[in-house]
Structures are given as C-alpha cells and as structure tokens.
Amino acid sequence: MRRLIYAALIFVALGPVPGTVQRFPVDNLTQRAAAHPLELAAETRGTMRFVRGWHLVSPHSYFGGFSGLARTGPGTFRLIGDNGYTTRLVMGARGGITAVDIRPLPTPDGRRASKAMADTEALFVDPVNGKAWIALEGINQIWRLNADLTAIESRRRLPEPRWPANRGAEAMARLGDGRTVIFSEDADDDPRGTEALLYTSDPAVPGPPPIRFFYDSRGKGLVSDAVALPDGRILLVHRRLGFNPVFTTVVAVLDPAPIAKDAVLRSRTIGIVPRRLAENYEGAAVTVEGDRTWLWLVSDNNFNRWQRSLLLQFELVDLPSTPTLDSKKAAR
C-alpha cells in the first residue's frame, strides 16, 4: 500500500496531469530566453544560504524539463532536459540572459530521439576539455559527448541486472581523483538502501566493472542529483514528495571514502530549499570563487503549467564533518 500511495504521489507531482501540460501543436524553435529575478531576501544564517534566483522562461517548445546542470564559465550554464534537449545560457552581471542556444542532443543513429531514448537525468562537464558525460535512465546507459554536445564519443550500458527504466540512473558525480559515482533513483527494492555504483575509470568506456554499494537516505527522499565538493565529498540533492508543498528539497553531504562492495553509506543534511521556492530540483552544480563556495540548483518543470524552471544560487558556509563507516574499506 505504501508503494502504491508513493506511486500516486509521483504521478500527480511529476505529471503530466491531464489538462496541465504545455502542449505545442506547432513547434516554436525561437532562440530566446529570459531570467526573471525572484523576490526573496538573501539569507545570512545557516550552512546553505540562499543568495538569489531567477525564473527561466522561453517561447521555445523544448525549453524546460531540466534534469542536469553545469556552470562552465562566469555566467555560463549548460543544462540538459529529460526531453533530450540541451540549453546553453549566458547571463550578464545583472542576471539578464545575453545568449541562448537550445538544441537536441545527438543520438546514435542521427534520428530524433524518442522519450525512452532521450531521458537524460544527470550531467557533468570536464572543466579542462569541456567534454560532457550524461546518464540516460530509460536506456540504462552513460554517454560521453564532445565539448559542444554535438557528437557521441563513447557509450556504455550500465551493468546487469538492469536498473528499472523509471528508477535507474538519476545522479552522477565526478570525483577529484577521476572516479565517478552514479546513484539510482530507487533501485532495487533492497532494505539496505538504493543501489549506487562507483566507476574507477571512464563510465562511458568499456572497462573494469563498477563497485556496487547502497545509499541510505534516512527519510531525506530520493536522490535527484549529485555533485563533487572541493573537499572531495559529494553533495546530494534529494526530492521528497508531499502535499503542501508538493516538493521538499533536502541537500546533504556524503563522504565517499567508505565506498566498498555492498557497503551502506549515509549522508548529513546541510540545508533545505526555502518553502517559497519549493520546486522539483533535479540539477546541481558547485563552483568556487576566491574563498567562497556556491551551490547552483535548477528545477524540472515537467512541462506542466503549474511548475516553474527556477535557477537558484546558494552559498555554502562552514560545511560540517560527515561520519565515515570505516575509511580502511574505501575503494581505490
């Protein structure tokens, strides 16, 4: 019964709910977008402090559904949507959008991707060469793309047993030492937690099998994105569903040192997105400027009229330590 109730909540929250979906009889491919500032005061207390935010809008039919985020330069953002489209935004010092590029991601055969093929849920970009890795939940694969996201350089299927198509790869983080951690959304009905994988080499290239471990969120919700922190830990974004608000976003920090075969890892909460900004946040990026660390979050509007594409900036201050289970068991 609990799983049925949870499934009903997901259907209502993530839609599409009949009559609420933005339908486009004729595609509008206008290359234009705007960022409307949010009227919410900056916070001065806590570990995760809201700084500013914007409501992103565009007449383009495929703008939205954002499930992955990277900040690739000053004011420059790369977003991917679970509809198989990517958006590049450049924002000026005052927050206005000065450049936008919205286009489909490449496909193996060059044809327009179906929903199952295009369900891209996670992204990270190499800061040195600009190449991008994306996780595709529907087809259970990891792809590496070239720097302008126009060509697939390599792709690899996630290991068997196959993660369920709607509960598979949801979050992905590249650690400072080159390893990659991939978290499932809710695979695979194990009492220890949701399954996750650690790759010691490029996850988009055939190589050694990954190390499976489990993540126990302890009531925070399901993981919707992950990103490496400067200190080597992983920041996790969680989505918890309810009624008022529909979405609660819990942000936590996890130490990857104890990762080992079948190990169970837990995280420590550092903040919750303010209630007034409650949305379906699925993309995260972390940047460092001087001695300050910024967290960026973007929401997936599911192309529903009642949801918004929000881009938020937080400052991370005095991150607390996180408990480790046994660092001697860490996978190297």
Side-chain angles (χ1 to χ4, degrees), residues 217-262:
S217 71
R218 291 200 161 185
K220 299 179 183 71
L222 300 180
V223 173
S224 60
D225 206 7
V227 60
L229 289 166
D231 64 9
R233 292 181 292 175
I234 301 172
L235 181 142
L236 293 175
V237 181
H238 304 77
R239 175 178 56 205
R240 191 170 65 210
L241 298 180
F243 291 101
N244 188 22
V246 174
F247 302 102
T248 297
T249 301
V250 180
V251 179
V253 173
L254 177 144
D255 187 347
I259 294 177
K261 184 178 183 298
D262 293 336

Side-chain angles (χ1 to χ4, degrees), residues 66-77:
F66 299 125
S67 55
L69 172 67
R71 192 166 184 266
T72 57
T76 304
F77 298 89

Side-chain angles (χ1 to χ4, degrees), residues 69-72 78 80 86 103 105-106 122-135 142-155 172-174 180 202-205:
L69 172 67
R71 192 166 184 266
T72 57
R78 170 69 70 180
I80 57 167
T86 178
R103 51 188 164 82
L105 290 165
L123 162 77
F124 69 75
V125 175
D126 189 307
V128 176
N129 57 33
K131 294 183 179 183
W133 283 255
I134 60 175
I142 305 298
W143 293 1
R144 188 184 72 228
L145 309 179
N146 62 349
D148 59 3
L149 276 66
T150 58
I152 303 169
E153 294 186 345
S154 182
R155 56 193 178 111
M172 179 170 56
R174 167 66 61 85
T180 301
D202 188 338
V205 175

Side-chain angles (χ1 to χ4, degrees), residues 309-325:
S309 296
L310 300 184
L311 176 64
L312 307 183
Q313 181 184 10
F314 295 85
E315 184 174 10
L316 301 180
V317 180
D318 297 328
L319 289 174
S321 60
T322 50
T324 58
L325 301 183

Side-chain angles (χ1 to χ4, degrees), residues 3 87 192 216 323 327-328:
R3 183 166 290 277
T87 297
R192 290 171 289 184
D216 178 4
S327 60
K328 294 180 180 179

